[in-house]
Amino acid sequence: MANITVLTSQDEIFDTLKRRLDEGYTKDEISVISKNKLNLGSIASTDMTVQSTSGTFSDRIARLLTGEDGEQAVLLQYDLSDTERQILKRELLNGNIVVLADKHDISRKEFKDEYETKKDKHDKEYEI
């Protein structure tokens, strides 16, 4: 289940991110979502996801043609209930910022170890 925080100001983002990292979330388990693009240069160079629901110009044109909702499209990427999506969509439309933190089912180390094991097994099966 995602740890959801709704912020009313961009000034609160860094404190919230620090709190999530202190709670044991890794950078790739944290997402920052806003209606408009945020200028967070120091975060953009990390594994954290920073998304705006307005998207790029071509995203907006495509949504206009298909009738798709930008907030809904972004929120569907996360494991949220319909009620949570509706509430967060309303928050985003009101100009608030959403920070989602969600633990992965498998850690990066476990994934890497599993990958290496499978790779080694696969390489040995086909040795000539």
Side-chain angles (χ1 to χ4, degrees), residues 31-33 49 51 74-81 85 100:
S31 298
V32 179
I33 306 168
T49 303
Q51 291 180 293
V74 169
L75 293 172
L76 281 171
Q77 298 173 23
Y78 299 94
D79 186 23
L80 301 168
S81 69
R85 276 191 205 96
L100 288 169

Side-chain angles (χ1 to χ4, degrees), residues 32-65:
V32 179
I33 306 168
S34 64
K35 180 176 175 152
N36 298 309
K37 186 175 180 182
L38 298 172
N39 188 10
L40 302 172
S42 58
I43 293 176
S45 63
T46 70
D47 289 338
M48 286 186 212
T49 303
V50 179
Q51 291 180 293
S52 73
T53 59
S54 61
T56 64
F57 178 74
S58 59
D59 291 337
R60 288 184 290 242
I61 296 298
R63 288 184 187 135
L64 180 65
L65 296 173

Side-chain angles (χ1 to χ4, degrees), residues 104-118:
H104 294 309
D105 292 334
I106 186 169
S107 73
R108 278 185 168 197
K109 182 181 180 328
E110 292 169 328
F111 179 79
K112 184 178 177 188
D113 291 347
E114 184 178 326
Y115 172 78
E116 291 297 327
T117 302
K118 286 181 180 179

Side-chain angles (χ1 to χ4, degrees), residues 2-125:
N3 183 331
I4 303 168
T5 307
V6 177
L7 309 174
T8 57
S9 142
Q10 192 169 332
D11 298 335
E12 302 172 77
I13 293 174
F14 291 103
D15 288 338
T16 303
L17 295 178
K18 183 179 180 331
R19 224 177 8 262
R20 294 298 164 259
L21 291 169
D22 290 345
E23 292 169 357
Y25 290 98
T26 60
K27 291 177 181 178
D28 64 319
E29 295 173 326
I30 302 172
S31 298
V32 179
I33 306 168
S34 64
K35 180 176 175 152
N36 298 309
K37 186 175 180 182
L38 298 172
N39 188 10
L40 302 172
S42 58
I43 293 176
S45 63
T46 70
D47 289 338
M48 286 186 212
T49 303
V50 179
Q51 291 180 293
S52 73
T53 59
S54 61
T56 64
F57 178 74
S58 59
D59 291 337
R60 288 184 290 242
I61 296 298
R63 288 184 187 135
L64 180 65
L65 296 173
T66 63
E68 185 181 34
D69 180 320
E71 288 71 26
Q72 190 72 7
V74 169
L75 293 172
L76 281 171
Q77 298 173 23
Y78 299 94
D79 186 23
L80 301 168
S81 69
D82 289 337
T83 304
E84 288 172 321
R85 276 191 205 96
Q86 290 173 354
I87 292 168
L88 294 178
K89 177 182 174 180
R90 186 175 58 239
E91 294 292 342
L92 289 165
L93 289 172
N94 287 332
N96 294 323
I97 300 164
V98 175
V99 177
L100 288 169
D102 199 5
K103 289 283 188 190
H104 294 309
D105 292 334
I106 186 169
S107 73
R108 278 185 168 197
K109 182 181 180 328
E110 292 169 328
F111 179 79
K112 184 178 177 188
D113 291 347
E114 184 178 326
Y115 172 78
E116 291 297 327
T117 302
K118 286 181 180 179
K119 182 178 173 263
D120 290 344
K121 181 182 176 193
H122 176 74
D123 289 346
K124 288 178 185 174
E125 287 178 359

